[in-house]
Amino acid sequence: MRRALLTLGLLFLWAPVLLLAAYAFSDSRTPFEWGGFSLRWFGALARNERILEAAWLSLRVGMAAASLATLLGLALGWVLARHGPFVGRPVFGALAGAPLVLPEVVTGLALLLLFVGLQALTGWPSQRGAVTVWLAHSALGMAYVAVLVQARLAALDPRLEEAAADLGATSFVTFRTVTLPLIWPSLAAGWLLAFTLSLDDVVVASFVSGPGATTLPVYLFSQLRLGMTPEANALAVVLLGFASLAGAVAWAIRGRAG
C-alpha cells in the first residue's frame, strides 16, 4: 500500500515535467502536439540572442551569489555551532533560518522594500539590476549554507582542533589546516545548492530586478504569459537538467561529508 501511494505521489509530481520534456523534442510548432522526434527547437534556442543574454546573466549572478552566500553562511554556521549561549541567540538563530521557511513572495517583497528604503536614504542603489539580484540571492542561499556548515561542525570531533591548539597552532592556523579541510564538502554542497536556488529563482528576482537585468527564469516566465512555445519547452528542459545535475552533485558531496 505504501509503495502504491509513493508511486502515485511521484507520478503526480513528475508526470507534468516528463510530459513537458517529451514535447520539447517534438517537430511540431504547436507546443503540445506531437509532430515526430526533432531537435530543431534546441537549435532555435541556441540561436536566440535574447535567451543567451539572459542565460549568461543568470550564470554570472548565480556564481557570484553562491560565492557570497558560502562566505556568509560559513560565518553564520560557525557562530551557531561554535559559540555558546549569548544574548539574543534564539532571535539570531530564528532570523538566520527565516529564508528557509518564509514564502518567497514575502522574502522578495521585504528585499524590495529594503532596496527602496536604501535608495531613499543613501541614493544607492540608483536602480535595481544585477547587483540587487545578486544580493537578494546571496541572502536567500546563505541560510542553506549555514545549515550545512552548522551540521558538519556539530558532527566534528572537537579533539582534532584541540590537538592542533595544544601543538601551538593559533586559532587561524587551526581553522585553515584542520577545520576547513574537514568542512569543505559542506561548503561545496552549500555553494552548489545556493547556485541552484539562484538559477531557478523567479519570485525574488522579479521583485528586485530591473528592465536591464532579466534573468533566464524571469524571461521564461514572461514569455509564458504570451503563450507556450516550443522554445520554452526546450528551455525548460535545459534548466531542469542543469539544476538537477547541480542539485545531485551537491547532495552527493554532502552525503560523503556525512
Side-chain angles (χ1 to χ4, degrees):
M1 182 65 180
R2 286 181 295 180
R3 289 186 178 182
L5 292 175
L6 178 61
T7 301
L8 288 175
L10 291 176
L11 285 175
F12 178 78
L13 291 174
W14 282 99
V17 177
L18 296 177
L19 185 64
L20 179 146
Y23 280 113
F25 297 94
S26 173
D27 189 58
S28 175
R29 183 173 293 275
T30 304
F32 296 108
E33 178 180 307
W34 184 256
F37 181 83
S38 175
L39 298 176
R40 61 178 293 196
W41 302 117
F42 291 91
L45 183 66
R47 294 188 296 270
N48 191 317
E49 294 184 1
R50 184 67 186 87
I51 290 179
L52 294 179
E53 291 177 2
W56 175 235
L57 176 63
S58 290
L59 289 175
R60 286 185 290 139
V61 169
M63 289 187 290
S67 300
L68 181 58
T70 301
L71 293 175
L72 297 176
L74 171 60
L76 184 58
W78 179 272
V79 170
L80 293 175
R82 283 290 186 263
H83 288 266
F86 56 86
V87 178
R89 179 186 174 91
V91 177
F92 180 80
L95 293 177
L100 298 173
V101 296
L102 283 178
E104 290 192 357
V105 172
V106 176
T107 303
L109 180 59
L111 290 169
L112 173 61
L113 295 176
L114 172 64
F115 291 133
V116 171
L118 286 175
Q119 184 180 15
L121 292 174
T122 66
W124 182 91
S126 57
Q127 61 179 4
R128 292 184 296 277
V131 174
T132 54
V133 176
W134 165 54
L135 294 175
H137 285 178
S138 299
L140 186 64
M142 176 182 66
Y144 292 86
V145 177
V147 169
L148 295 177
V149 171
Q150 182 184 4
R152 181 57 177 166
L153 286 172
L156 290 182
D157 188 350
R159 291 176 295 182
L160 298 175
E161 297 170 309
E162 293 171 358
D166 290 340
L167 293 174
T170 63
S171 298
F172 176 74
V173 172
T174 300
F175 176 79
R176 181 174 58 86
T177 60
V178 178
T179 309
L180 192 59
L182 291 174
I183 66 172
W184 80 263
S186 294
L187 293 177
W191 191 95
L192 288 170
L193 285 175
F195 177 75
T196 303
L197 287 170
S198 175
L199 190 66
D200 286 348
D201 176 68
V202 175
V203 178
V204 174
S206 64
F207 276 97
V208 300
S209 63
T214 303
T215 60
L216 190 58
V218 174
Y219 174 81
L220 175 60
F221 184 73
S222 65
Q223 290 299 305
L224 293 179
R225 293 179 178 178
L226 303 177
M228 195 71 174
T229 64
E231 284 187 22
N233 285 349
L235 178 57
V237 170
V238 172
L239 283 175
L240 177 64
F242 196 82
S244 299
L245 178 62
V249 172
W251 285 115
I253 294 175
R254 179 69 186 106
R256 288 186 179 181

